[in-house]
Amino acid sequence: MILFSLSASIIQAQVVSCHRKVLRRTKTEKVERVNYRLCLYEFSDTAILRKTMCILSLNPIADSIRRKSEKVTYILTMQFEQVGDDTLVCHAYYSDLPYMQENLRGCCLIDGHYVQIIGVIPPFMTPTKSTTSFSYISHKLILGEYNGRVFYFEDMGDDRAPQWDISYSRGAVQLLKYHGIND
């Protein structure tokens, strides 16, 4: 029983499925269509959700409430890291596309905005039985080959602005640093 519950939590905290189709490949680049599906999480603590929404002052340009997740262009990414026994630090930023980044764990909706969750799943978020899917065109530059393995760099656009560093500790939510567009 313990093994089953442990494996179920590991499955929920990862990308559910991913399909890549190569559209073009040369010696220097690789272009793929990436389709992937994520577990949808929700905030279990509404006070933390309200404080997070207040800090983020969500960008109306990035509002994806009227779009299917496959059509999302701008997406907010929240990267969580455990920094103490009861403290998480989140680095939040917008991405041009819903890139499938390393350590991608799931997705949630905040005020109609899709938000990708990277790193540690916060204890104030719980998985739902729902999933959501995203699609984008990946442009990878080939850096070289070593021991039969090809190394790529994915072109993910320019600077990410705005950005927030947020601390979550014992129910308290605090803005640590804000990086604006003109900074």
Side-chain angles (χ1 to χ4, degrees), residues 51-59 76 78 92-94 110 115 162 164 166 168 178:
K51 291 174 189 173
T52 301
M53 288 172 58
C54 183
I55 288 172
L56 293 175
S57 332
L58 295 174
N59 182 348
L76 186 63
M78 296 181 80
Y93 55 88
Y94 282 103
I110 300 178
V115 179
W164 302 262
I166 306 167
Y168 294 89
Y178 172 75

Side-chain angles (χ1 to χ4, degrees), residues 63-124:
D63 188 357
S64 58
I65 194 166
R66 293 180 189 86
R67 300 183 201 158
K68 294 174 93 175
S69 57
E70 295 91 350
K71 306 286 186 211
V72 171
T73 51
Y74 293 95
I75 191 164
L76 186 63
T77 301
M78 296 181 80
Q79 184 171 351
F80 291 94
E81 178 184 353
Q82 191 82 40
V83 294
D85 290 341
D86 56 2
T87 303
L88 286 172
V89 171
C90 171
H91 182 67
Y93 55 88
Y94 282 103
S95 296
D96 292 344
L97 294 170
Y99 296 106
M100 194 169 114
Q101 300 183 37
E102 194 172 317
N103 253 347
L104 183 59
R105 299 292 183 222
C107 185
C108 69
L109 286 170
I110 300 178
D111 194 30
H113 293 71
Y114 285 102
V115 179
Q116 287 184 322
I117 304 165
I118 294 178
V120 176
I121 298 290
F124 50 82

Side-chain angles (χ1 to χ4, degrees), residues 160-173:
R160 302 168 184 165
Q163 297 181 30
W164 302 262
D165 291 328
I166 306 167
S167 171
Y168 294 89
S169 182
R170 297 185 191 145
V173 181

Side-chain angles (χ1 to χ4, degrees), residues 5 33 44 78 91 96 98 103 120 123 136 145 165 177 182:
S5 64
R33 170 161 297 284
S44 56
M78 296 181 80
H91 182 67
D96 292 344
N103 253 347
V120 176
Y136 72 98
E145 188 175 334
D165 291 328
K177 190 167 186 178
N182 296 324

